[in-house]
Amino acid sequence: QLQASGGGLVQTGGSLRLSCTASGLTLDYYAIGWFRQAPGKEREGVSYISSGGASTDYADSVKGRFTISSDNAENTVYLQMNSLKPEDTAVYYCAAGPVSILVIRSPDNYDYWGQGTLVTVSS
């Protein structure tokens, strides 16, 4: 029901925009989180947007470089990633759930997950 797309290969300092689209879900009704998992590492949260889009949150590692936004008409949530670094290389997943802003960073609170999209940043 969720699909993440937009990954690819980019050089250090480059940009990518990831999209999270849904079928059968109205994303504006849910909190949306972007998570990533690099080879050999645990999954980590990257960015979040509350239901209705009033609040956003970012991991310290991406703050100032990544921007999460939503387009209700397109039923899509975006993750604009600028100034990419090799350490941003990972499979990126989007997730949706009826998550309070207080616990928006916990992946356990998300009910729906998309398949991942691979982002590779070359040095």
Side-chain angles (χ1 to χ4, degrees):
Q1 290 176 307
L2 290 181
Q3 182 169 353
S5 62
L9 174 64
V10 65
Q11 291 185 334
T12 296
S15 298
L16 284 173
R17 188 178 75 163
L18 305 184
S19 299
C20 178
T21 57
S23 59
L25 292 175
T26 301
L27 292 184
D28 192 46
Y29 295 167
Y30 297 89
I32 306 299
W34 283 98
F35 299 85
R36 67 186 182 187
Q37 187 164 21
K41 295 187 177 181
E42 293 186 354
R43 180 178 56 188
E44 64 171 339
V46 175
S47 182
Y48 319 87
I49 188 166
S50 62
S51 61
S55 299
T56 58
D57 192 20
Y58 298 90
D60 288 343
S61 58
V62 306
K63 202 170 291 184
R65 301 189 297 122
F66 291 11
T67 303
I68 191 170
S69 62
S70 61
D71 184 331
N72 294 338
E74 297 294 327
N75 200 32
T76 300
V77 172
Y78 300 102
L79 184 68
Q80 178 67 44
M81 306 187 297
N82 299 329
S83 302
L84 283 162
K85 304 175 181 180
E87 52 263 45
D88 294 318
T89 295
V91 177
Y92 284 70
Y93 302 88
C94 62
V99 186
S100 164
I101 189 66
L102 298 177
V103 293
I104 203 168
R105 291 189 172 195
S106 175
D108 293 341
N109 293 322
Y110 290 81
D111 296 332
Y112 306 99
W113 289 81
Q115 94 294 350
T117 186
L118 177 62
V119 171
T120 303
V121 185
S122 63
S123 57

